[in-house]
Every structure is written in structure tokens, then in C-alpha cells.
């Protein structure tokens, strides 16, 4: 899967929002599906961001909003 690095498209904004969420949680593990958890640590989060679709990244942000009240990243992606 080719990863965009333009910094301006939806994919880049969602990826940046996801990594900002991770940074604010100090890269703690995060259960985004009942049977799927993002591995803790900066490397784990960056690997997840590189290997998952925009839809999956957005879903993580949605789950973060529902479970932790996290909205900053979703507001960022709406710009």
C-alpha cells in the first residue's frame, strides 16, 4: 500500500490526527475493535498508521471519541 505524504489530502490529515491522538495518550495501546488493539509505543502506532486504510484510521478516531471523549482529532480532519 502506497502512503501519501503530501500533507494536504484527507489521508494525510486523518493519519496526522491519529498520530496526534496517540501522542496525547503517550502511545498507550488502544482497543479499536473488540478483537483488535493497536500495539503500544510510538513504533506500534506509526506501523498501524502505515498499514491501515483511511477508513480504519477514521474508525479509530471515532472509537476514541466514543470511549474517551476525544474530539480534537475529528475536528482537525473536518477542516
Amino acid at each position: 500500500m502506497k502512503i501519501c505524504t503530501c500533507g494536504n489530502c484527507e489521508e494525510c490529515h486523518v493519519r496526522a490526527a491519529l498520530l496526534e491522538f496517540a501522542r496525547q495518550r503517550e502511545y498507550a495501546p488502544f482497543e479499536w475493535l473488540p478483537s483488535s488493539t493497536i500495539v503500544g509505543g510510538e513504533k506500534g502506532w506509526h506501523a498501524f498508521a502505515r498499514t491501515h486504510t483511511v477508513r480504519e484510521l477514521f474508525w479509530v478516531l471515532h472509537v476514541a471519541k466514543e470511549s474517551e471523549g476525544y474530539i480534537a482529532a475529528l475536528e482537525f480532519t473536518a477542516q
Side-chain angles (χ1 to χ4, degrees):
M1 175 165 51
K2 185 169 170 34
I3 303 298
C4 182
T5 58
C6 77
N8 296 315
C9 68
E10 178 184 35
E11 177 183 347
C12 289
H13 284 273
V14 172
R15 186 169 289 106
L18 176 87
L19 293 174
E20 175 60 20
F21 168 66
R23 187 190 65 75
Q24 289 183 18
R25 297 179 79 249
E26 297 181 357
Y27 300 100
F30 185 73
E31 184 178 336
W32 64 289
L33 291 172
S35 61
S36 295
T37 299
I38 300 170
V39 176
E42 188 173 358
K43 285 184 179 183
W45 279 89
H46 280 271
F48 183 90
R50 279 192 319 272
T51 59
H52 288 75
T53 66
V54 171
R55 184 176 182 178
E56 291 167 323
L57 302 183
F58 190 78
W59 183 255
V60 171
L61 295 173
H62 170 76
V63 172
K65 178 183 176 190
E66 295 297 314
S67 67
E68 299 184 11
Y70 187 77
I71 58 170
L74 291 176
E75 290 172 351
F76 175 73
T77 60
Q79 294 179 355

